[in-house]
Each structure stands twice: as structure tokens, then as C-alpha cells.
Amino acid sequence: MNNSRRVLLKSGASLGLAWMFAARPLKAIAATGIPQNEFKAPVPFSFDLLEEEARRLAQYSYEPPVNPSPGVLAEIDYDQTQRIRYRTDRTVRVGNADHYPVQFFHLNKYASDPVRISVVEGGQAREVIYNHDLFEIPVGHPAEGLRAGAGFAGFRIMADDLKTDWFAAIGASYFRSSGPFNQYGLSARGIAINTAMSKPEEFPRFKHYWLEASPEPDGGINVYALLDGPSIAGAYCMKTKRKTEPDGSYRVVMEIEARLHMRADVDRIGIAPFSSMFWYGEDTHLEPRDWRPEIHDSDGLAVLTGNGERIWRPIINPPHVMTNTFSDRDPRGFGLLQRDRNFDHYLDDGIFYEKRPSVWVEPLDPWGEGAVHLIELPTDTETWDNIVACWVPKEKAKSGQRRVFRYRLSWLDDIPFPKTLGQTIGTWSGIGGPPGLNFNARPAGTRKFVIDFAGEIFEGLGRDSGVELVVNCSRGSISGIATYPVVGQRHRWRAMFDLKVAGLDPIDLRAYLRKGDAALTETWLYQVFPASV
């Protein structure tokens, strides 16, 4: 897992479930890689018991994690963390299945709140005890001063050859997958509390994980987690599978059930949140910032609304924090996607932005009224995640409530898309007016937008087929509307228009192609800041 361009967030720990299992019978658990004496005694485990612990926690005030040996961890900076290696011969084979090898992350300066990790087999859980022997630690390294039993920063699920990982959980409630092309990008997390509000955001954390080989015939690994934070406690079950696609890429599918118990009222609770990075793209690289043409982990938000409308909103790097909401009832899906898979559009042969995974969320139950929130923060670097997307229920979370959310989260190349609609494959803009005019002859305060759509829906359609562009703006005026098939490109259609604006307030644009009363494409949305026109 490459963390060189991501700041590690903090994780944590607490007492877990031992209090409620003391009188239950114990049973030995088999796990390869770690000697049996480096596990705690087995205790019964189930998802229902985990929820009982979350319910119990929610009845009491939040207790922040205790940082073990803070002086020692303060010395384990990025460089010192890179010197620590997990021993391959200590790899835990969950369920004795070779395709579920698990290794652990060492605590460090940036991930200093200890996480507990247990292995489950046959309804019994045994916690792994932190020990120096699990890691290759150089002589004289600060980590030698960390006591046994201190805990871990997180864990990762390895590929069969133990050379790479395809799933990792570290920091707060964050987790992510390397997706279809073995390249990490955006991150998911268990919950978002008061994101992009005037009050401080809260970062609940997964304090204890339980790992279990799935009993289902088609396999998978079940990741259970206990969430704890100032306003919330929760029990999570994440049934995780990695599938190989016919083209050799991978699809990681997680069926997640979150049983939440509220400690306090929360103004904004974000369900199925994930964070990504967008510095600039094809439409926003207005001046040289870096030699690479585009730099982003995701290039757009896709939404499949409850009534079946498909929306595509290209991500932007705004001049100030912006929150856009897409109101809906019982959404069918939403996600942050990396649609542009062309290496030549990025030219980065070190971290391969064209290989970053897309993430798609599909509710498994009706979620009722609410909105997909897209939060965009300004950035001048690729180091920080500055994009957040999540579902925010209309009903606010109240103290004492139990709320359950079930959804499927897929890490994939691209989402399934109907052949009856065209997809947005590119957005560009520039100076308005007819091309070829002298710059001083161009109309003032006008910006031209060009959108390319692609899909089999355009087969057999030409300039005289009655295809029209429907475009609206929240303010300003639209002119110069044109749409036509791109010369020499099969199934590719271009739409363009000019936007004339005055004033400084943001402008929302909405456009799609239609023929008669039938939409030919998904709905393209965009936000314009007049200062850049």
C-alpha cells in the first residue's frame, strides 16, 4: 500500500467484547502464520453480539483512545515506518485459505491510535497480540521500544504471492481497495459526521476488526468492525469478494451492513462516504501547474436516481469550498468514477492515474428521502484528498436512535451502463464565439463549452436525424448551440454552446441530447465560477 502521497489518519482502540463473553465456553481456533501463544484466548463472536457491544457503548460517554508509548511512536515518522516490514512467514491465513492472507500495519507517528484485530473461525474469535516478532525491525529502530500487546495501525489483505495487497484498512474508519488494476486511489470510510459544516467534522474510528473466511460456497472474507466516536457507535459487517473479470482485471465487491447507534444528535450524517483527489483535468488545466496534462483520482460523480435518470457531474477544483446536493428518494446508485483510462491523458508512469479504481454504491434497501452530497475543496497539490461524496438522509440522526443501512460497494473499472444511452466522455471549455476570430474580437464575458458523448445509441444517426442539445443555465444566457457526429469517430457525438454571464455567483449548467421526446444521453451537470470565464 503506497502512502507516500496520502497523510495517514489516526486509528484507535478500546475494551472490545471480552466483558460479555467471560462465562461462555472457549474453543480453539486454527490460524496459520502466527504461533498459537500469540493469540488471546478464544471467545464467542457473531454480528449480533457485535451490535450488542455497539449498543452498550452508545449508552455511555465516548472514551478517546489511549495512545501507547506516545514518545516512541512520535519517533516513527514516514522514513522510519518504511523501514519496518511485516514478516511474510507471520502472514495470517484467515480460515486456512491461501487466498485470504492477511498482514498488519505497524503503529507509527501518523497512525498512533491502536486497533485490535481478531480472527474468527467456527463462531469463536481470537485476538492477535502485537509482538515485535511479527515484523522485521532494524536494530536500534524506535519501534523496539514499543511494548508487547500495543495493538496495530490496521491490516491488509494480500495477493496470493504476498507481493501486493488488494484491500487495506488504516486510520479512523477508512478502507480502500486497489480495484481493477492493482492501483490504489480514492478511499471509502464507514461513516461521515458533519462533513463540510461550520462545526468541526467528527472522525469516528474502527477500534476493533474481526476477520472471518466466508462460509458461502463462492467464498469471500467477512470483515467485521466496531465503530466508536463522540456521537455514534456502530457494528459493521463487510462481506468482501475479489473477482477476476474476463479481461484479467479485478472487481472487488463488498456487501456492507451498518447498524448504527446514536450517542448524540447529528446534523449531517453521511452514509457510504468516500474521499478522492482532483487537482485538475482536461477542462481545468488553464495554466501550467505541472508538466502532466491531468492529475486526479476521480473525474466525475455518477448518480442513478430513484426514477431512473442517469447524471454525470464532472469534478472541479473550485476557488472555495463548495457543497452540491442532488436530492432524491430511494437512489439506485452513486459513485466517484475515473472514466478516463487513457495513459496519454496523464503521462504519469509512476503512480498511473489512469488505473485508479472507480467506486459505485448500490443501496440494498430503500433509503427514503435525502440527497447525494458532493463536496469539493480547493487544492494546489495532489497530496491531499479534496473531494467527498456520500448519501445524506433527510431525517437527521437523533440521540438514542438505531439506524441500519445496507449497500453494495464495488471497486471497478466502470459501472454497468445501458446501451440505450450515451455516456459523457469529455468536457472542455474556452473562449466563446466562433473559432478563428482574433482574441480581441471574441465576445466579452462568454465561455464556450464542448461536451462529447459516446455510445451505440448514435448508430445510424447523422446531422439531419433530429438530434438536439437541451441545455439550461441557472443564470446568464445560452447561445451558439450546435450538436453533430464527430467526423471520423464512430458512436461519438459532440455538443457545444456559449455561456454569457455577469456577476460572480456560481452558475449551474444542465445538458443532454435528445431525439424527439427521448433522451439519448445521460444528463450532464456542471458548475461555473464566472471569475474564470
Side-chain angles (χ1 to χ4, degrees):
M1 177 180 178
N2 183 359
N3 287 313
S4 61
R5 56 176 292 285
R6 290 286 187 268
V7 173
L8 298 176
L9 298 176
K10 293 186 177 181
S11 56
S14 112
L15 295 178
L17 302 179
W19 69 274
M20 58 191 302
F21 299 140
R24 297 177 179 269
L26 302 182
K27 175 183 176 183
I29 291 181
T32 60
I34 298 179
Q36 294 297 302
N37 61 3
E38 295 187 8
F39 286 88
K40 289 186 179 180
V43 294
F45 176 83
S46 71
F47 190 30
D48 288 338
L49 289 173
L50 177 57
E51 185 185 7
E52 283 301 313
E53 170 66 350
R55 189 195 313 273
R56 186 192 70 85
L57 284 177
Q59 294 174 357
Y60 299 92
S61 298
Y62 173 67
E63 295 184 6
V66 177
N67 185 320
S69 307
V72 172
L73 296 182
E75 296 183 47
I76 308 179
D77 56 16
Y78 176 79
D79 291 334
Q80 293 287 18
T81 300
Q82 296 304 302
R83 297 178 64 203
I84 301 174
R85 294 287 184 270
Y86 192 87
R87 290 178 54 177
T88 56
D89 63 332
R90 291 293 191 264
T91 300
V92 176
R93 308 278 178 172
V94 175
N96 290 326
D98 288 345
H99 51 295
Y100 303 131
V102 173
Q103 297 181 358
F104 306 126
F105 291 114
H106 197 281
L107 290 167
N108 56 69
K109 178 179 180 180
Y110 309 103
S112 58
D113 295 336
V115 173
R116 300 169 65 186
I117 301 175
S118 297
V119 177
V120 178
E121 185 177 304
Q124 300 279 307
R126 294 187 70 180
E127 183 179 344
V128 182
I129 304 171
Y130 167 81
N131 190 297
H132 294 161
D133 292 341
L134 298 175
F135 298 87
E136 296 176 5
I137 300 175
V139 175
H141 192 283
E144 291 182 330
L146 197 62
R147 60 176 174 79
F152 303 95
F155 72 94
R156 56 182 183 161
I157 305 174
M158 308 298 295
D160 293 343
D161 60 7
L162 303 185
K163 293 181 180 179
T164 60
D165 56 354
W166 56 268
F167 180 91
I170 183 171
S173 65
Y174 283 88
F175 58 92
R176 58 181 182 161
S177 171
S178 57
F181 307 116
N182 283 326
Q183 188 69 47
Y184 281 106
L186 75 173
S187 299
R189 52 176 160 156
I191 202 75
I193 302 291
N194 294 332
T195 304
M197 299 187 69
S198 58
K199 61 180 65 178
E201 182 171 3
E202 182 180 317
F203 290 92
R205 64 192 186 91
F206 287 146
K207 61 193 294 183
H208 195 156
Y209 290 100
W210 292 261
L211 309 177
E212 175 190 40
S214 172
E216 298 177 5
D218 55 350
I221 182 169
N222 296 340
V223 177
Y224 302 92
L226 178 62
L227 183 81
D228 197 19
S231 300
I232 194 171
Y236 283 69
C237 174
M238 300 182 282
K239 298 180 178 180
T240 304
K241 299 176 184 178
R242 191 190 197 205
K243 304 177 180 179
T244 303
E245 302 284 48
D247 63 359
S249 65
Y250 300 99
R251 178 187 297 247
V252 176
V253 179
M254 307 176 69
E255 290 198 0
I256 298 176
E257 181 172 343
R259 301 177 182 178
L260 307 176
H261 294 268
M262 306 307 303
R263 274 194 173 99
D265 295 350
V266 173
D267 290 334
R268 180 181 294 169
I269 184 170
I271 306 301
F274 28 90
S275 305
S276 190
M277 181 277 297
F278 185 93
W279 186 7
Y280 56 84
E282 59 198 11
D283 182 43
T284 54
H285 196 179
L286 301 180
E287 71 277 340
R289 309 182 199 180
D290 188 278
W291 64 272
R292 293 163 291 178
E294 299 184 43
I295 297 179
H296 51 77
D297 285 341
S298 308
D299 54 13
L301 170 73
V303 180
L304 177 56
T305 67
N307 65 11
E309 182 183 14
R310 289 186 177 269
I311 293 172
W312 175 253
R313 164 55 155 79
I315 296 173
I316 60 176
N317 182 357
H320 48 78
V321 177
M322 293 296 299
T323 298
N324 284 264
T325 60
F326 305 86
S327 298
D328 199 7
R329 182 181 183 87
D330 298 333
R332 300 186 192 181
F334 70 95
L336 291 177
L337 310 184
Q338 185 79 315
R339 276 189 177 171
D340 191 341
R341 297 294 184 187
N342 192 325
F343 169 79
D344 291 342
H345 294 181
Y346 304 93
L347 298 177
D348 193 320
D349 60 348
I351 52 180
F352 302 102
Y353 283 112
E354 77 280 2
K355 295 183 178 181
R356 299 302 167 103
S358 299
V359 172
W360 184 243
V361 174
E362 300 169 274
L364 297 177
D365 298 309
W367 279 4
E369 292 188 75
V372 175
H373 281 218
L374 174 64
I375 300 161
E376 297 161 308
L377 288 76
T379 187
D380 59 1
T381 177
E382 63 192 294
T383 305
W384 309 96
D385 282 349
N386 64 315
I387 306 297
V388 177
C390 60
W391 171 259
V392 177
K394 182 178 180 180
E395 178 189 351
K396 294 184 178 181
K398 299 294 184 181
S399 176
Q401 277 187 338
R402 175 186 185 264
R403 305 186 72 172
V404 178
F405 293 90
R406 298 174 59 250
Y407 55 96
R408 181 181 298 111
L409 193 158
S410 300
W411 307 77
L412 69 178
D413 178 3
D414 198 4
I415 61 175
F417 203 87
K419 294 182 178 181
T420 54
L421 284 178
Q423 270 188 329
T424 308
I425 61 170
T427 300
W428 302 269
S429 67
I431 302 171
L437 289 181
N438 181 281
F439 178 81
N440 294 327
R442 298 291 185 95
T446 302
R447 184 171 173 181
K448 183 178 296 296
F449 287 86
V450 178
I451 314 162
D452 276 12
F453 300 96
E456 295 182 16
I457 188 70
F458 298 118
E459 178 69 33
L461 298 180
R463 286 179 177 264
D464 57 353
S465 297
V467 177
E468 61 178 335
L469 171 64
V470 180
V471 57
N472 305 105
C473 56
S474 59
R475 64 183 190 84
S477 60
I478 300 290
S479 63
I481 296 176
T483 184
Y484 54 87
V486 179
V487 176
Q489 301 292 317
R490 188 182 181 195
H491 296 162
R492 182 164 177 162
W493 206 276
R494 178 161 293 169
M496 60 175 60
F497 61 90
D498 282 356
L499 171 68
K500 184 175 180 59
V501 301
L504 299 178
D505 292 336
I507 300 166
D508 294 315
L509 297 172
R510 180 184 181 93
Y512 66 98
L513 296 184
R514 74 180 178 191
K515 184 176 184 295
D517 294 330
L520 298 179
T521 67
E522 64 186 353
T523 302
W524 171 91
L525 303 180
Y526 202 77
Q527 193 163 62
V528 183
F529 295 87
S532 62
V533 173

